Amino acid sequence: MDAVARFPFRLYRQMDADPRHWQVAALGGLFTLSWITSDFGVTLLTLCLSFAGAMIAQLLGTTISNARDGNPFLYRFEWKSALITALGITLLLRAADPWIWFAAGFVGISLKFLVRIDGKHIFNPGCIGIVTMMLLLGNKAWVSPGQWGQAPLVAGYAMALAALTLSSAKRLDIALGFLLGFAAILFARAAWLGDPMVIPMHQMSSGALLIFAFFMITDPRSTPDSRLGRILFAVMVAGLAAWFTIGPNVRGAPLMALAALAWTTPVLDRFLPAHRFQWSQPRSAASPKQLNYSLMPLQGTKETHP
Amino acid sequence: MRLKSLAAALALPALGLAFAAPASAFCGFYVAKADTDLFNDASKVVLARDGERTVITMASDFRGDVSEFAMVVPVVDIPTEEQIHVANPALIDHIDAYTAPRLVEYYDENPCEIARRQKMMEDMAMMPAPTAAGMMEEAEELGVTIEAEYEVGEYDILILSAEESDGLITWLNNNGYKIPDGAEETVGAYLKRDMKFFVAKVNLERHDGSSMLRPLQVAYEDEDFMLPIRLGTVNAEGKQELFVFALTREGRVETKNYRTVKLPSDMDVPIYIKDEFADFYKDMFAHQVEKQNGKAVFMEYAWDMSWCDPCAAEPLSRSELRELGVMWLDEDTDDDMRPGFGPQPVDAFVTRLHVRYDAETFPEDLEFQVTGDRSNYQGRYVLRHPWRGDYGECEAAGDYAVSLVERWDDEANELAKLTGRDFDAIKTKMASLGYSDAILNNVSVEPKEKKNWWQKLWGN
């Protein structure tokens, strides 16, 4: 009886032990939504393929760097990150051939290990995987921003917001910075053109934009460490994405903008230094484990204190 | 200041097109199978796209006083005369017929024959065989500049630029282009993006007197792949109907800023639909639009232009495709030409999109993107003709009669789901035509116990 009563709390604690759990739950929900509602949506095959690509790259990268550093074979094998990357790729990328999803996952995670500045990877793996495929393969790889209906979109926003608020990664600042920056440009442009406001509203209600804002640009590992840096970064990406959209009509504009501006993260980190984010850290070591079922774990921070 | 340069960057490369659709500029649509006017006031647009090269063909089935015809299309670049062309209207009819939703028919065999054959040939499964189925001055005063003036075919074409939307609208109205009230903001938005207006009227002296007007074509290069539809929604009465036939080298075309969905397809429907296919398609489309809250673009066909199965019409020939703007056909040097050996495979993929829109459901112009998806898709509805005969002839015939009744229920159900029609009304209509459980009256075979799935599996 006691165990049953405690179950929700235990579940919550386990979920909250790692912010990525919330992300996986939300992305899984979006995956289901797309699966059910879209004619051109996700399939299990594409998820498996991008997951396989991401996992193989993650395994290779982990073992090679562990061998180099003299760590145990599978030390810090971040399979959850690979899963999140795979889910992001499946949700956003559409392709002519199945191998492209595999390649996107593989390339995305590989670049995470290969392109690092000060020990921090600069590209979001999912984003760079998709962008690489789009640049290399032309129209064989694309993003379908319009394929989310209105109702799924509302549900998606609710889920994404919930996941992000609950998640202790605390990266709502960057999601909101991006969305508000992007919206500000679109609304200002509509006002200048004399367009009715339903036009920018319509432009903002894109499922791909939601996934990008809540699950890609928010990646704590490849965005600036300080809050000010993150907001600056978000606004820059929003500006470039808006220009890509209304200017030269670049495909997958937000993803391209994020990839193009990835180099600014180390620059912002240099000028606005802050604690570096780590996914999993020995939480119990930092704070002795308390066995109370507090409903306020949101107060905790998971940033490491070197 | 930054914002201004952003907007300017948008306006420069875009050559977009929109229909002012004054009253009756575009109307009428024929579906291949039914050959009936299905959707009045439908615009039909063919877009051939490769990279940034685009040819747009704008068709109208305008019937009536041609002096009433007018077309207003915003563009950004000023096209030269060579970039404008008139096409043979039969081309549009052909691509329409080729891509139209289709009915296919299957005929059931005598179940007793099948049973006999099965007995003889043990485990051979049989499939039923398919069968097929003082202008200038006034302009200056109003701040309107006539950038170019062309005579192409039966059309007089002007390319206009303007400082203010009011001046342009006044000028257009004074010169016989009926611009609906409330268009100022939309026209103004296009002008702010530095767009020009392509306007066309029929020159009665050069017109051959027929009521048929030929489609106008414009060839242009631009990064944006879009179709401005907003002018058509200004003050429009009810919904507008638009068909887009996109031809690409790579694959399916979808809308980037609106949801594209597939029209439900591959359903078995009652036989009587054959006589009212046009009504069926119309009802189904209306019902599906409603189900998507009016906010979706429907893909009705997506197919490699080299073939079709079943063919509602023959695939378009190379010369037809070329005339519709497929500019890459002759550029592929590795194409082995085999003259005289039947139709050659062509590297063209067609997508047929059907949109019913108004300002509320489609506030923004349509933006498209070419995808690499070459999966074939067609709107296809199946009629299954029952075998008619003595259902008491053998046991298999009795079973068949029972299965027919179930099948007809399913067909009625599918039809009700597709079109939103009343299930009972469909059943009544089917019964009046002899498709009901009345056929069981003459069946003398005893009703058998329904088999469990495991009995069906192992046959014991």
Side-chain angles (χ1 to χ4, degrees):
Chain A
M1 150 84 204
D2 207 23
V4 173
R6 249 187 262 152
F7 178 72
F9 297 106
R10 267 229 312 271
L11 184 71
Y12 179 84
R13 249 200 7 257
Q14 269 179 10
M15 282 293 281
D16 204 47
D18 187 332
R20 286 171 298 184
H21 293 164
W22 296 115
Q23 279 201 44
V24 170
L27 286 169
L30 285 166
F31 180 90
T32 315
L33 263 179
S34 171
W35 200 28
I36 294 169
T37 61
S38 176
D39 285 342
F40 305 102
V42 296
T43 64
L44 281 175
L45 175 73
T46 61
L47 178 62
C48 292
L49 286 170
S50 49
F51 186 56
M55 280 298 272
I56 289 171
Q58 183 77 32
L59 201 62
L60 280 174
T62 308
T63 47
I64 290 170
S65 57
N66 282 339
R68 194 190 52 202
D69 302 343
N71 285 326
F73 189 55
L74 281 180
Y75 177 69
R76 306 199 76 142
F77 175 58
E78 301 281 12
W79 65 273
K80 290 175 199 164
S81 296
L83 178 59
I84 287 172
T85 298
L87 278 164
I89 287 172
T90 313
L91 285 168
L92 288 175
L93 178 67
R94 297 289 169 271
D97 297 307
W99 66 266
I100 297 171
W101 279 280
F102 178 88
F106 188 82
V107 168
I109 297 285
S110 298
L111 289 176
K112 180 169 91 172
F113 286 99
L114 293 175
V115 187
R116 284 172 181 256
I117 294 177
D118 297 339
K120 178 170 168 176
H121 59 268
I122 69 163
F123 290 118
N124 172 282
C127 172
I128 197 67
I130 296 171
V131 165
T132 308
M133 292 302 121
M134 286 174 78
L135 291 178
L136 288 180
L137 301 172
N139 284 341
K140 282 199 181 307
W142 67 97
V143 173
S144 287
Q147 294 319 305
W148 302 75
Q150 298 263 310
L153 207 68
V154 173
Y157 263 99
M159 222 153 60
L161 261 174
L164 216 84
T165 320
L166 283 166
S167 134
S168 25
K170 298 210 175 289
R171 287 298 187 271
L172 199 59
D173 49 8
I174 200 165
L176 293 181
F178 170 78
L179 284 175
L180 291 176
F182 197 67
I185 295 170
L186 293 183
F187 277 90
R189 176 168 174 269
W192 177 73
L193 287 172
D195 278 343
M197 288 301 136
V198 288
I199 290 185
M201 297 264 283
H202 174 80
Q203 289 165 335
M204 288 302 294
S205 57
S206 146
L209 203 65
L210 149 83
I211 295 166
F212 175 80
F214 287 112
F215 300 104
M216 212 153 251
I217 193 176
T218 42
D219 171 19
R221 295 282 291 150
S222 57
T223 45
D225 295 330
S226 69
R227 169 156 288 182
L228 182 61
R230 285 197 297 271
I231 292 174
L232 275 174
F233 182 73
V235 171
M236 284 194 302
V237 174
L240 190 63
W243 184 68
F244 278 169
T245 309
I246 57 190
N249 191 26
V250 173
R251 302 186 309 135
L255 292 161
M256 293 287 188
L258 178 59
L261 288 171
W263 61 273
T264 61
T265 296
V267 175
L268 286 165
D269 278 347
R270 191 144 306 166
F271 290 106
L272 300 161
H275 299 306
R276 172 75 47 88
F277 181 87
Q278 295 289 344
W279 279 123
S280 45
Q281 80 279 333
R283 197 189 191 187
S284 46
S287 57
K289 196 144 212 150
Q290 294 169 351
L291 281 176
N292 61 356
Y293 307 112
S294 158
L295 277 173
M296 293 164 65
L298 300 181
Q299 308 298 322
T301 174
K302 287 205 173 66
E303 291 183 4
T304 51
H305 302 267
Chain B
M1 194 189 80
R2 182 186 185 87
L3 191 70
K4 210 167 186 176
S5 65
L6 282 182
L10 162 86
L12 280 172
L15 184 139
L17 297 126
F19 301 124
S24 51
F26 295 87
C27 59
F29 163 69
Y30 298 96
V31 77
K33 184 79 181 171
D35 208 358
T36 321
D37 256 80
L38 287 188
F39 303 100
N40 292 320
D41 293 323
S43 306
K44 280 178 276 182
V45 173
V46 183
L47 288 163
R49 171 89 170 177
D50 182 41
E52 295 186 359
R53 296 182 298 173
T54 313
V55 174
I56 183 168
T57 308
M58 297 164 286
S60 90
D61 282 348
F62 182 84
R63 265 147 237 274
D65 185 357
V66 289
S67 64
E68 295 277 304
F69 176 84
M71 181 193 254
V72 178
V73 181
V75 295
V76 161
D77 282 344
I78 300 168
T80 63
E81 191 161 357
E82 294 81 51
Q83 285 173 271
I84 307 171
H85 187 244
V86 283
N88 182 351
L91 289 171
I92 306 284
D93 293 341
H94 192 174
I95 199 167
D96 180 5
Y98 173 74
T99 58
R102 61 216 57 208
L103 272 176
V104 283
E105 292 178 297
Y106 294 88
Y107 290 86
D108 288 355
E109 280 186 88
N110 181 339
C112 303
E113 280 292 328
I114 300 173
R116 260 173 243 139
R117 230 178 0 231
Q118 266 172 345
K119 229 174 192 169
M120 280 164 63
M121 297 162 68
E122 289 291 321
D123 287 358
M124 285 284 284
M126 299 304 296
M127 299 280 285
T131 40
M135 242 154 48
M136 281 293 199
E137 262 174 49
E138 190 196 359
E140 220 166 285
E141 272 169 35
L142 290 165
V144 176
T145 312
I146 298 171
E147 302 277 358
E149 207 175 341
Y150 305 124
E151 295 178 356
V152 180
E154 62 266 44
Y155 298 101
D156 284 341
I157 293 159
L158 299 174
I159 315 293
L160 305 171
S161 67
E163 286 146 28
E164 298 287 335
S165 58
D166 295 354
L168 180 64
I169 288 169
T170 309
W171 188 91
L172 287 168
N173 279 327
N174 290 352
N175 287 279
Y177 298 91
K178 288 173 215 139
I179 303 297
D181 294 341
E184 286 82 6
E185 281 186 354
T186 309
V187 170
Y190 286 126
L191 288 178
K192 276 197 175 143
R193 287 152 67 175
D194 206 21
M195 294 176 104
K196 315 283 184 281
F197 281 79
F198 175 111
V199 301
K201 277 208 293 194
V202 176
N203 185 310
L204 294 174
E205 283 167 20
R206 292 201 309 280
H207 182 59
D208 61 4
S210 74
S211 60
M212 181 78 104
L213 287 175
R214 292 184 292 169
L216 261 173
Q217 297 182 291
V218 184
Y220 63 95
E221 282 187 27
D222 194 63
E223 293 139 338
D224 286 342
F225 184 24
M226 48 99 81
L227 189 68
I229 54 171
R230 288 175 56 198
L231 271 182
T233 62
V234 174
N235 208 18
E237 285 163 26
K239 302 253 183 186
Q240 306 277 307
E241 203 85 24
L242 170 70
F243 290 87
V244 176
F245 308 92
L247 293 162
T248 70
R249 203 199 281 247
E250 279 139 324
R252 175 171 66 78
V253 166
E254 65 180 23
T255 37
K256 220 165 69 174
N257 55 343
Y258 294 100
R259 190 170 147 84
T260 308
V261 299
K262 291 174 179 168
L263 193 70
S265 175
D266 273 332
M267 320 307 200
D268 287 7
V269 291
I271 307 287
Y272 74 80
I273 291 302
K274 189 178 183 177
D275 300 323
E276 48 176 78
F277 185 49
D279 282 336
F280 160 74
Y281 174 37
K282 238 162 76 174
D283 285 0
M284 172 181 60
F285 189 75
H287 187 62
Q288 297 304 322
V289 167
E290 201 181 307
K291 271 173 78 173
Q292 299 286 343
N293 297 319
K295 287 180 179 162
V297 172
F298 287 85
M299 184 172 95
E300 296 186 330
Y301 197 71
W303 210 275
D304 186 315
M305 257 289 176
S306 304
W307 64 295
C308 41
D309 179 31
C311 294
E314 282 302 302
L316 274 69
S317 68
R318 291 177 82 92
S319 64
E320 283 177 301
L321 288 172
R322 201 174 298 117
E323 201 177 338
L324 281 173
V326 177
M327 68 295 276
W328 58 87
L329 282 184
D330 299 327
E331 292 165 359
D332 301 329
T333 43
D334 55 332
D335 246 6
D336 54 321
M337 302 291 276
R338 294 170 300 162
F341 287 97
Q344 295 170 29
V346 288
D347 189 15
F349 195 91
V350 64
T351 312
R352 173 189 171 115
L353 299 172
H354 187 175
V355 196
R356 182 169 291 174
Y357 64 97
D358 60 19
E360 194 194 320
T361 50
F362 284 78
E364 226 191 332
D365 292 331
L366 297 177
E367 286 173 31
F368 303 101
Q369 71 177 355
V370 181
T371 76
D373 182 7
R374 290 186 80 94
S375 328
N376 292 324
Y377 170 82
Q378 58 183 340
R380 174 177 172 275
Y381 308 92
V382 182
L383 306 180
R384 293 192 188 280
H385 291 277
W387 173 80
R388 293 284 192 188
D390 180 7
Y391 296 118
E393 184 185 335
C394 65
E395 198 188 335
D399 291 347
Y400 171 76
V402 173
S403 78
L404 269 186
V405 174
E406 281 171 18
R407 184 167 103 191
W408 291 336
D409 266 354
D410 292 343
E411 288 174 358
N413 204 18
E414 287 289 5
L415 183 60
K417 268 202 303 205
L418 280 173
T419 58
R421 291 181 193 171
D422 180 45
F423 176 78
D424 293 325
I426 296 169
K427 289 285 287 175
T428 311
K429 178 151 188 177
M430 288 174 80
S432 73
L433 296 165
Y435 301 92
S436 74
D437 53 10
I439 62 161
L440 297 180
N441 294 346
N442 308 325
V443 179
S444 52
V445 279
E446 284 173 29
K448 287 204 301 188
E449 273 178 60
K450 220 173 176 189
K451 281 183 175 178
N452 285 315
W453 59 266
W454 54 87
Q455 289 170 319
K456 284 180 186 167
L457 194 63
W458 292 313
N460 50 17

